[in-house]
Amino acid sequence: PLDDEVRDNFWPRFVRMAERPNVGLAVSDPFLQMQYEYQVGSPRLPAIRTLALYTGATHYPARPHEVLVMDRPHECVLMCLIM
């Protein structure tokens, strides 16, 4: 949000909601888990990977001497580490 007060109040409210016993939050991958941990600190959200087995796709690495880096927004933790 553009409003500073609304933005500053969001994360504390998010943390309070996430700590409630009747609320369950999760992220889709370890990268997002790291982003939330960096931005919020706690609670640590579990990462639950989606498999999408229904697609029938299979990955065969063909370039053993190369590294695949996910393209994420530049303000994320990974890009800070890479730069």
Side-chain angles (χ1 to χ4, degrees), residues 15-83:
V15 170
R16 284 195 307 274
M17 179 185 68
E19 291 174 340
R20 293 177 59 184
N22 62 335
V23 173
L25 299 173
V27 294
S28 61
D29 58 72
F31 182 85
L32 285 177
Q33 184 182 45
M34 182 177 63
Q35 261 190 317
Y36 274 100
E37 190 172 351
Y38 175 79
Q39 292 175 341
V40 181
S42 108
R44 187 164 192 205
L45 302 177
I48 302 173
R49 290 189 174 270
T50 55
L51 296 177
L53 296 175
Y54 61 89
T55 64
T58 305
H59 172 69
Y60 295 102
R63 302 177 191 171
H65 302 293
E66 295 182 12
V67 176
L68 176 64
V69 178
M70 300 294 285
D71 183 19
R72 297 287 184 149
H74 293 288
E75 54 273 346
C76 71
V77 176
L78 181 62
M79 291 307 292
C80 293
L81 293 174
I82 290 174
M83 292 176 180

